[in-house]
Amino acid sequence: PEQKFLDNVSSATLVFDDKSLKVTVECPVPDGLQLETGNNAWCGDRVELLIRPAADDERFSAFSINAGGAYAAHGFKGPGTRDMGGSSASVLKSERTPRGYRVSIVVPIADAFGGRRPASGEAFGLNVRRFGRTCGGYSAWAFNGGAFNMGSQGAVRMNGSSVSTDSLDMRSGYLQ
């Protein structure tokens, strides 16, 4: 990747409370680049959040929001399967910042984890991914081989009432 993308890598934070998981992603934009927005949550400069309720569970939830605020939330039975249907009470927001944009995704435990928060010591699958020209094409916390490998996430382990991961810095890369 070009140095301008390495100098502007996204970062994400995770916060659990009794009712939800909140993911906040800072998305810096290199000087001279313009954000691509629109009415499609899966297009332009955007952030996607993938959550698998347990390491041995193929079901997963996918959330997408673009820099303009268009968003979508879907549940899948497993990789390559169709949307499970239903609705989500998740709240997705995008706001401009002096260096780019910030995304906030609040997912009720009932939506992503079947109503039961993972216990201390349990792991769940998660990936935070950023797409668009302002990040060099694709960057992710858990690199999983590209845009359409949606069932592959990194492991997050509950540590008491908080989560622990190696890092939530997102590496910049290009889609092949």
Side-chain angles (χ1 to χ4, degrees):
E2 296 176 52
Q3 189 62 43
K4 66 184 173 186
F5 300 119
L6 296 174
D7 292 342
N8 291 280
V9 173
S10 300
S11 62
T13 58
L14 307 177
V15 177
F16 256 114
D17 64 23
D18 291 337
K19 297 179 181 175
S20 61
L21 169 65
K22 180 178 182 181
V23 178
T24 303
V25 184
E26 298 293 336
C27 303
V29 174
D31 291 338
L33 294 180
Q34 298 296 315
L35 290 171
E36 288 184 22
T37 62
N39 295 327
N40 187 332
W42 304 99
C43 294
D45 287 293
R46 68 191 182 279
V47 169
E48 294 178 6
L49 171 66
L50 307 174
I51 301 173
R52 184 182 325 184
D56 61 350
D57 194 331
E58 285 198 345
R59 294 175 301 149
F60 66 98
S61 299
F63 305 88
S64 182
I65 182 166
N66 72 20
Y71 63 88
H74 298 284
F76 295 85
K77 296 177 185 174
T81 65
R82 292 183 171 259
D83 188 345
M84 290 190 315
S87 61
S88 173
S90 301
V91 177
L92 292 81
K93 294 181 181 178
S94 177
E95 63 182 319
R96 300 287 172 98
T97 65
R99 291 200 58 220
Y101 67 106
R102 174 182 305 117
V103 165
S104 171
I105 304 173
V106 180
V107 182
I109 290 172
D111 282 10
F113 300 98
R116 187 184 74 81
R117 179 181 165 160
S120 184
E122 289 183 332
F124 62 93
L126 181 129
N127 203 358
V128 180
R129 308 182 316 177
R130 181 175 168 197
F131 293 87
R133 289 189 302 180
T134 63
C135 74
Y138 174 68
S139 64
W141 169 62
F143 184 76
N144 62 12
F148 297 104
N149 189 359
M150 295 180 73
S152 180
Q153 294 101 23
V156 177
R157 187 165 305 281
M158 292 300 294
N159 182 8
S161 61
S162 62
V163 296
S164 69
T165 61
D166 291 337
S167 169
L168 284 180
D169 286 336
M170 297 167 65
R171 296 169 288 182
S172 184
Y174 289 97
L175 285 174
Q176 300 298 321

